[in-house]
Amino acid sequence: MSQEWFEGRLVVPDGTSLHYARSPGAGPTWIYLHGLADSGAIWRRVAERMPGALDVVLLDSRNHGNSGGGLGGHENHVADVISVIEELRVPEVILVGHSIGARTALGVGACRPDLVSLMVLLDPPFMQGVTGATRDGQRVAARQTAASWSTSTPSQLFDLARRQHPQWDEADYPAWVESKLQVRAEAADDIGEVPWRDLALRCDVEAVLVFGDEDLGGLVTGAIAEEFTRLARKSRSVRIPGCGHNMQRENFEGTLDLLAGEWSRPRA
């Protein structure tokens, strides 16, 4: 469906400026949260295929997209999303998050369950046993990668995307390229272990944990999904076959069907 979008910006309490795109509509407000080195723009293809004239917000996380720079880390992202929800003053929110965005959504559900009616968590990085040295090495590598993207041309990044992700639809490459040119080195601070089990225990929001195939690059295994649904009392898990970590790109139709199903499902 065709949607009209407008750009918005707000400043959160620590002074960071956050950018979002919004397509106003009816029903609950769907806030989409992206993963590391992506931006809200990666969700536009999904949002425009959802049924109905939904109220949709595509948020750029701090240090990503058109948002400003600021101190990274899980707690700051959670606080940012809470600030966005409160600023928008919407009566009902559905959070859809991918990767680190899914981890952020879970943090919001644990801290402020009164603000969210449903969370859809796409392959969050529920890491465990990550040492400080490993984390620091991953952050250094991420900063170096971001630096290499910043000196690349769009043409070079398009070629890189097609080589690394040949199974993606051509429509997914432009947002990927744009987000790589925009990401700040400080985004690497988001890499690290978060106590997801504690968050799951504290979460009093309906949650759907979505996972793919581990052998295709998925982060959430069947065992992790089972453990999560034991801990988060209002949760269930759904596997989308034939995809790994980037399920909204690797199995677009399967991801869209799942989200459309959640949209139409009656909620208490």
Side-chain angles (χ1 to χ4, degrees), residues 195-267:
W196 64 268
R197 293 178 178 86
D198 177 61
L199 295 176
L201 281 169
R202 291 164 49 201
C203 185
D204 193 31
V205 176
E206 182 183 356
V208 184
L209 177 63
V210 187
F211 64 106
D213 297 331
E214 185 180 6
D215 59 354
L216 294 178
L219 302 181
V220 173
T221 64
I224 290 176
E226 183 179 350
E227 182 176 8
F228 178 83
T229 55
R230 286 201 309 268
L231 296 173
R233 65 186 186 90
K234 294 183 179 179
S235 68
R236 63 187 187 279
S237 65
V238 178
R239 175 178 168 267
I240 298 180
C243 61
H245 183 56
N246 288 283
M247 53 191 56
Q248 73 277 19
R249 292 149 163 162
E250 297 168 15
N251 190 338
F252 175 81
E253 295 296 336
T255 303
L256 185 67
D257 287 346
L258 181 140
L259 292 173
E262 293 305 322
W263 168 79
S264 61
R265 186 188 301 273
R267 293 183 298 279

Side-chain angles (χ1 to χ4, degrees), residues 104-127:
T104 299
L106 178 60
V108 174
C111 294
R112 290 294 305 275
D114 57 304
L115 295 179
V116 184
S117 65
L118 171 68
M119 302 181 303
V120 184
L121 314 176
L122 279 68
D123 206 38
F126 286 166
M127 298 180 294

Side-chain angles (χ1 to χ4, degrees), residues 6-235:
F6 71 86
E7 309 295 308
R9 187 172 293 275
L10 59 89
V11 178
V12 295
D14 76 350
T16 302
S17 174
L18 299 181
H19 169 270
Y20 62 89
R22 188 175 188 181
S23 180
T29 300
W30 291 65
I31 300 180
Y32 287 79
L33 308 176
H34 61 80
L36 182 67
D38 272 332
S39 72
I42 72 151
W43 289 113
R44 186 166 293 196
R45 182 171 172 236
V46 172
E48 291 184 340
R49 283 281 306 278
M50 286 287 286
L54 305 181
D55 186 26
V56 175
V57 175
L58 311 181
L59 179 66
D60 290 344
S61 297
R62 59 174 59 208
N63 300 314
H64 294 77
N66 289 306
S67 286
L71 184 64
H74 173 71
E75 291 80 7
N76 287 314
H77 287 299
V78 170
D80 286 348
V81 175
I82 291 172
S83 293
V84 169
I85 295 173
E86 291 179 333
E87 179 72 18
L88 295 178
R89 298 180 180 179
V90 290
E92 183 181 3
V93 169
I94 294 174
L95 289 180
V96 180
H98 171 243
S99 192
I100 285 177
R103 190 178 71 185
T104 299
L106 178 60
V108 174
C111 294
R112 290 294 305 275
D114 57 304
L115 295 179
V116 184
S117 65
L118 171 68
M119 302 181 303
V120 184
L121 314 176
L122 279 68
D123 206 38
F126 286 166
M127 298 180 294
Q128 49 192 351
V130 178
T131 66
T134 299
R135 179 205 61 208
D136 293 344
Q138 291 172 339
R139 289 180 175 177
V140 169
R143 285 176 179 269
Q144 292 172 341
T145 300
S148 72
W149 288 331
S150 69
T151 59
S152 299
T153 66
S155 177
Q156 289 171 330
L157 289 173
F158 270 104
D159 290 343
L160 176 63
R162 292 184 179 106
R163 289 197 307 271
Q164 291 184 341
H165 310 289
Q167 74 275 40
W168 289 9
D169 190 282
E170 191 71 18
D172 284 322
Y173 295 132
W176 185 92
V177 169
E178 180 184 48
S179 68
K180 300 306 176 281
L181 292 171
Q182 293 170 322
V183 67
R184 298 168 183 259
E186 291 83 359
D189 295 339
D190 300 341
I191 297 174
E193 190 168 350
V194 168
W196 64 268
R197 293 178 178 86
D198 177 61
L199 295 176
L201 281 169
R202 291 164 49 201
C203 185
D204 193 31
V205 176
E206 182 183 356
V208 184
L209 177 63
V210 187
F211 64 106
D213 297 331
E214 185 180 6
D215 59 354
L216 294 178
L219 302 181
V220 173
T221 64
I224 290 176
E226 183 179 350
E227 182 176 8
F228 178 83
T229 55
R230 286 201 309 268
L231 296 173
R233 65 186 186 90
K234 294 183 179 179
S235 68

